[in-house]
Amino acid sequence: MHNYQAPNDLLSDKIILVTGASDGIGKEAAISYARLGATVVLLGRSQEKLEDVYDLIESAGGPQPAIVPLNLESAVEQDYKQLADTIEQEFGRLDGLLLNASILGDITPIESYPVEQWARVMQINVNSQFAITKALLPLLKQSNAGSIIFTTSSVGRKGRAHWGAYGVSKFATEGLMQTLTDELENTCAVRVNCINPGATRTAMRANAYPAEDPATVCHPKDIMGLYHFLMGNESLDTKGQSLDAQPK
Ligand SMILES: NC(=O)c1ccc[n+]([C@@H]2O[C@H](COP(=O)([O-])OP(=O)(O)OC[C@H]3O[C@@H](n4cnc5c(N)ncnc54)[C@H](OP(=O)(O)O)[C@@H]3O)[C@@H](O)[C@H]2O)c1
């Protein structure tokens, strides 16, 4: 799946929402989903950055995307309900949901981890993902092949010193994916999986590893095979998996 080569029309007629579509991996995923034919709903906190992604998609001749400026730190249930209502009015369903937005928080031992920062990381990386998934699930059930992709990390599979709230938030993400998979089993056509992108050249990576030469880690473009596979209909039988976007 790392080397999956998507056919040009893999996602034609699909409606896909990407969180954190303004930068890094989410931006690349949104642009490439549009290139493969999807109408993409771009969610992020910076309207300006989302407009840049919108322009890139439009100038490449992709289907006209939609922009949803929303700060996942402060959004409340009503915001997610409004988002679901808007998507329902515009499209009547949702075929794909890529839950990609996250923050890193502090890299520090638990003993000195700031309590407020812990809550902030959990709010953005976990609570908002639950709330948006809850609100959008009825629309995903309207699809004949709905796909939810959560974003995990190697520190969310085995605890690592100093990765604090970020690592714990990714354990929770894996748990949410597994819980949903079990609940949806045999009840609807929505499948749920996690992607671990692995080391990827983004602002978050540079923040976590300031001494690293960015040229030594791969570009978001290089890891898109799995992102495409899990959104396309060739992955209909892939459920409840936590998969690596890069070979080990
Ligand atoms: N890069 C890696 O090496 C790596 C490795 C393992 C896992 N991951 C995971 O991959 C995913 C993408 O990471 P990345 O490296 O692409 O990170 P990134 O470059 O920092 O991008 C994060 C995205 O999330 C958005 N975001 C952050 N806080 C938000 C909020 N409160 N409301 C709405 N949007 C918000 C950012 O918006 P702004 O543009 O406004 O900042 C940005 O679009 C994350 O889940 C991360 O944990 C990354």
Side-chain angles (χ1 to χ4, degrees):
M1 281 170 280
H2 309 119
N3 298 323
Y4 177 71
Q5 292 290 332
N8 289 340
D9 62 349
L10 179 79
L11 304 177
S12 62
D13 299 328
K14 288 197 186 283
I15 316 295
I16 298 176
L17 188 146
V18 178
T19 73
S22 55
D23 213 337
I25 295 166
K27 175 178 176 180
E28 186 60 42
I31 290 170
S32 69
Y33 287 163
R35 197 178 61 244
L36 297 173
T39 297
V40 187
V41 182
L42 307 165
L43 188 149
R45 62 184 159 184
S46 157
Q47 168 120 15
E48 205 183 330
K49 287 171 82 174
L50 291 174
E51 281 170 2
D52 289 345
V53 180
Y54 179 104
D55 290 344
L56 286 169
I57 291 173
E58 277 238 301
S59 60
Q64 187 181 30
I67 285 184
V68 181
L70 192 65
N71 188 335
L72 298 173
E73 185 173 359
S74 51
V76 294
E77 191 163 16
Q78 184 57 28
D79 297 315
Y80 296 115
K81 189 177 175 321
Q82 212 168 344
L83 170 64
D85 289 347
T86 306
I87 293 174
E88 177 158 37
Q89 280 157 24
E90 278 290 313
F91 307 111
R93 67 169 203 284
L94 189 63
D95 301 298
L97 174 60
L98 172 60
L99 293 153
N100 159 83
S102 277
I103 60 164
L104 182 63
D106 290 10
I107 303 285
T108 197
I110 295 294
E111 199 174 353
S112 52
Y113 205 97
V115 170
E116 274 181 18
Q117 178 74 309
W118 184 281
R120 192 168 168 250
V121 173
M122 289 300 169
Q123 182 60 26
I124 295 169
N125 295 10
V126 182
N127 301 347
S128 77
Q129 304 211 21
F130 149 70
I132 195 169
T133 303
K134 178 185 171 188
L136 297 180
L137 204 45
L139 286 170
L140 284 149
K141 288 180 173 177
Q142 294 303 311
S143 170
N144 56 14
S147 177
I148 302 175
I149 303 173
F150 288 97
T151 309
T152 186
S153 165
S154 51
V155 296
R157 293 173 177 164
K158 184 172 190 306
R160 193 182 304 164
H162 304 171
W163 281 75
Y166 178 83
V168 173
S169 78
K170 296 302 185 182
F171 273 97
T173 299
E174 298 250 357
L176 185 52
M177 180 277 286
Q178 289 180 19
T179 303
L180 258 178
T181 296
D182 204 34
E183 287 177 6
L184 299 177
E185 183 78 41
N186 303 324
T187 64
C188 66
V190 181
R191 62 199 188 281
V192 193
N193 294 284
C194 277
I195 293 180
N196 169 25
T200 310
R201 200 183 314 158
T202 66
M204 182 186 284
R205 177 76 191 181
N207 229 344
Y209 296 91
E212 181 179 78
D213 174 0
T216 60
V217 290
C218 66
H219 188 275
K221 274 190 174 76
D222 304 328
I223 61 165
M224 285 297 121
L226 184 59
Y227 285 80
H228 297 163
F229 174 75
L230 287 180
M231 275 304 172
N233 287 356
E234 287 174 67
S235 63
L236 291 182
D237 294 330
T238 307
K239 297 171 185 178
Q241 306 281 313
S242 184
L243 300 166
D244 294 326
Q246 299 183 41
K248 287 266 182 230

